Structure formats: structure tokens, C-alpha cells
Amino acid sequence: MGRVYNFSAGPAVLPEEVLREAADEMLDYKGTGMSVMEMSHRSKAYDEIIKTAEQDLRDLMNIPDNYKVLFLQGGASQQFAMIPMNLMKNKVADYIVTGQWAKKAYQEAQMYGKANAIASSADATFSYIPDCSDLPISEDADYVYICENNTIYGTKFWTLPNTKGKTLVADQSSCFLSEPVDVTKYGIIYGGVQKNVGPAGVVVVIIREDLITEDTLPGTPTMLKYKIHADNESLYNTPPAYGIYICGKVFKWLKKQGGLEAMKKHNEEKAKILYDFLDESKMFKGTVRKEDRSLMNVPFVTGDDELDAKFVKEAKAAGLENLKGHRSVGGMRASIYNAMPKAGVEALVAFMKKFEAENTK
Ligand SMILES: *Cc1c(COP(=O)(O)O)cnc(C)c1O
């Protein structure tokens, strides 16, 4: 069986070129006589892998020198605790709750201090991004937290919140490297890489240096201190070495595609194909307010659960996999990350047209 078009929300599609390269290097990485999986993380060969990965990411995102790049473990979810443990000096933080991941981060922060939900879109199943131009930001807030692209609901912050001078912390897991970002607007950007960049198990944290201090909450485990990882250049303990190696290859691949401006253009083109069809279809409907639509995750429904199930089943048989929506939204969701080719989205829309014709009386 050949490769399918994989619309999974995560772990998700990776560039085929990267997978082939990794396969070629599996048994003998560049004459070392061993796989990257087998080599010491203190070796010269590995040092070059992790340093090159960091430099390529810095080039891609234009990361200023006063930000550290950390390759950590524990997935995005571990950051839900690590952020308050390291940043809550006043024990106050403001959360904008735009979906399940933001809500989990908000709930976790409540264990460490006063976490305030200053805005939410729970009233309409998180189908929109609230107006964040003039929120009641707490005077003593240590930071303002957002989930920038809501993987489950398919919404995206196209305008960052007005934090009134407070540090902005953003979970970018599902939009990481999908478009250029101005890093200087954030205190922390982080992302679990299994959505748009690499294999599960790595989380990339881009953190402004002044936020890295010894002054963490009492009882913060050593492994959850940004400072220990920053001081040791992500090699305090054994890092997720193979995962970082694949991320490094994806960074190189992104550079070859023309960097993040080119990715943005490519992603806009792909998303337009699908959204344009959703807007004209009589059967399929997008679930998100138009101006808040994500370029990465596109939920849609027919309004009929049985028809949705039939669609998912028949799409799978046609080589279009993992289109079932998240259980909290129902319907379908197509995740069309960087590595999803335009041909994949075209094949999906062609299939949707065919399905609509066959199932309309
Ligand atoms: C998937 C996801 C998470 C959770 O990631 P894990 O690596 O499984 O902890 C958090 N935030 C967002 C936006 C996600 O898409």
C-alpha cells in the first residue's frame, strides 16, 4: 500500500523527503556507523545535529539573540505547569480560554496561583476568537496566556490580544512555523512538535532571557526549571535526541521551501481551496466564524451524524485518512499542516464534491 493523504490533527503528516532521508541514514548516520538513535547526546555528531537545528530555527523565525531556544520533553501539556511554576512571581496570570487546550492550561495554572479567565468563547463551542482589544488585564498579572491556534475548533488569533504591557505567552503547537511571527511580541512561544514539525515527544520553547530566573515557585522540580535547560543548552539530561534530529530535518526542508513567508502563501492557497468549497457547498458547512478561521485545522459538518460517519468511512477507503472530527465538535476535521501537499487538499475537495452529488436527492 502506498502513502495516503493523512489529515490527522497530530501526530501528523511529515514531509516525505524528510522521512526518506531519515530512512537512508537509519543504519549509518554520515559515516558514524550508527543510527542517531544509538549515539551519545554528548558526541560530536549529535552536538552538530542539535546546534544546527537551533540555528536553522533561529534563521526561519528570525529569533532575536535575547531569546533562548529550548528543546524539551513532556509535550505541550507539560508547559501548562512549567509556565506558572517559572513565571508566576506575583502568583497571578490571565488566561484567554478559546478551547480545550487553553482551558487545560488555565486549570493547571490554578494549582499554582490565581489564574483568571479574562475572556472565553465557551458560549459558542469555541467557534470564534473573542475581542481581545480591551480586556480586564490584572494589574499584577505575571503574564497573559493564549492558545494561538485552536487545533480542535479550528480558530486562530489573527490579531494578538492587547496585553497592556504584560508578557504574552502563546501555545503555538498547531500553527508553529506555518507563517512568519514577530517573536519580539511574545515572552514565550512554545509548541509540541507533533502537529507541524516532527515526531511526538519534543516541545520547542522560545523564551525571552529575562523570564529565565532562579526565582521559581517553591518545590519546582529541577527538570521543570527553564534555567537548568537554558544553562545546559537543552542537554542537562538526555534530550529526545532522535525527535530533535527529525525536527532539524524539517527546519532544513522549510528553508528549502523558501522559509515561512513561502509557507504562509502555500498554506493560504491550500486553505482557500477548502474554505471556498465549504462556502459554496449545500451539504458541507464550516463551523468557525469566517474571520477567525485557522489555516491549519478545518472543522466541517453536514449536520447529519450518519452522513458524517458515512463520509469519514468512504473518504478513508479513497485514501483520505483521519478526517473524523474531535469528539467534542463532531463532524469532520481536515488538518492541513505544512507538509500536506496542495494535491491532498484538491483530492479532498474533489471527493467532497463527488460525495455531495451522490448523496443529494
Ligand atoms: C496537541 C496540542 C496540545 C497537547 O500536546 P501534547 O504534546 O500531547 O501535550 C497542546 N496544545 C495544542 C494547541 C495542541 O494542539
Side-chain angles (χ1 to χ4, degrees):
M1 190 172 155
R3 282 174 63 78
V4 297
Y5 287 124
N6 179 9
F7 294 94
S8 170
V13 58
L14 288 172
E16 193 167 318
E17 203 177 308
V18 165
L19 298 176
R20 285 189 195 285
E21 239 179 67
D24 283 345
E25 292 172 351
M26 182 58 75
L27 296 182
D28 176 8
Y29 176 75
K30 294 191 175 167
T32 57
M34 61 180 89
S35 168
V36 173
M37 262 183 257
E38 301 169 301
M39 75 181 43
S40 165
H41 58 293
R42 312 270 176 216
S43 65
K44 197 159 166 283
Y46 195 75
D47 196 60
E48 195 184 320
I49 289 172
I50 192 166
K51 294 258 161 61
T52 306
E54 174 174 342
Q55 191 54 55
D56 285 336
L57 181 63
R58 284 186 175 276
D59 296 346
L60 279 167
M61 292 182 71
N62 202 6
I63 300 174
D65 288 343
N66 64 324
Y67 285 74
K68 292 277 189 208
V69 172
L70 308 175
F71 295 99
L72 306 180
Q73 314 196 40
S77 299
Q78 184 148 287
Q79 294 306 307
F80 299 169
M82 209 161 158
I83 289 160
M85 285 177 139
N86 284 269
L87 263 54
M88 266 191 172
K89 318 285 179 199
N90 299 331
K91 297 206 172 190
V92 178
D94 290 345
Y95 280 72
I96 299 173
V97 181
T98 51
Q100 235 179 66
W101 296 118
K103 190 171 164 198
K104 281 189 173 161
Y106 161 63
Q107 287 169 337
E108 190 79 7
Q110 287 170 358
M111 305 207 298
Y112 304 102
K114 191 167 174 341
N116 307 301
I118 54 167
S120 167
S121 50
D123 59 339
T125 328
F126 300 117
S127 58
Y128 70 103
I129 298 290
D131 176 4
C132 297
S133 57
D134 186 19
L135 294 173
I137 307 283
S138 309
E139 225 154 81
D140 49 354
D142 292 302
Y143 58 90
V144 176
Y145 181 101
I146 60 167
C147 178
E148 196 160 329
N149 185 80
N150 295 281
T151 324
I152 295 173
Y153 304 94
T155 57
K156 161 95 202 290
F157 279 85
W158 290 111
T159 310
L160 291 176
N162 175 4
T163 65
K164 302 182 179 172
K166 302 297 181 194
T167 296
L168 178 64
V169 172
D171 176 356
Q172 285 194 353
S173 295
S174 50
C175 58
F176 197 54
L177 300 177
S178 64
E179 58 171 2
V181 296
D182 180 354
V183 176
T184 63
K185 293 196 167 136
Y186 303 80
I188 295 180
I189 292 172
Y190 76 93
V193 304
Q194 75 273 26
K195 305 293 161 64
N196 210 13
V197 186
V202 182
V203 56
V204 176
V205 177
I206 300 162
I207 177 169
R208 212 175 56 221
E209 271 170 0
D210 61 283
L211 300 172
I212 305 173
T213 66
E214 301 273 11
D215 178 25
T216 57
L217 296 185
T220 300
T222 306
M223 276 292 287
L224 298 189
K225 293 180 178 171
Y226 289 125
K227 191 163 188 337
I228 201 90
H229 296 290
D231 288 351
N232 290 280
E233 301 184 313
S234 302
L235 293 168
Y236 168 69
N237 71 324
T238 321
Y242 194 81
I244 294 168
Y245 154 78
I246 299 289
C247 290
K249 287 202 178 298
V250 173
F251 300 156
K252 285 260 185 260
W253 178 81
L254 288 167
K255 278 183 145 179
K256 227 168 93 183
Q257 306 304 305
L260 301 190
E261 283 291 351
M263 277 335 286
K264 179 178 185 183
K265 195 164 160 278
H266 183 60
N267 288 326
E268 282 171 347
E269 271 173 32
K270 287 188 301 179
K272 186 172 187 311
I273 295 169
L274 186 47
Y275 284 126
D276 280 354
F277 174 68
L278 289 173
D279 290 342
E280 73 180 40
S281 167
K282 298 226 155 38
M283 175 177 282
F284 297 101
K285 294 271 166 284
T287 58
V288 168
R289 187 166 75 180
K290 276 191 191 174
E291 58 267 39
D292 301 324
R293 284 170 163 176
S294 164
L295 296 180
M296 297 282 101
N297 311 98
V298 183
F300 55 94
V301 295
T302 65
D304 173 342
D305 290 349
E306 261 175 51
L307 203 55
D308 287 352
K310 185 170 185 240
F311 176 82
V312 171
K313 188 166 164 239
E314 291 182 11
K316 183 177 162 69
L320 307 166
E321 291 245 13
N322 290 316
L323 282 163
K324 193 170 181 325
H326 190 271
R327 57 193 179 280
S328 63
V329 183
M332 283 71 72
R333 172 179 48 172
S335 294
I336 50 175
Y337 296 118
N338 284 344
M340 172 59 66
K342 191 171 157 192
V345 181
E346 286 168 346
L348 172 61
V349 169
F351 181 81
M352 289 167 81
K353 283 183 179 159
K354 179 169 159 279
F355 185 89
E356 181 165 346
E358 284 170 3
N359 291 277
T360 306
K361 280 163 279 225

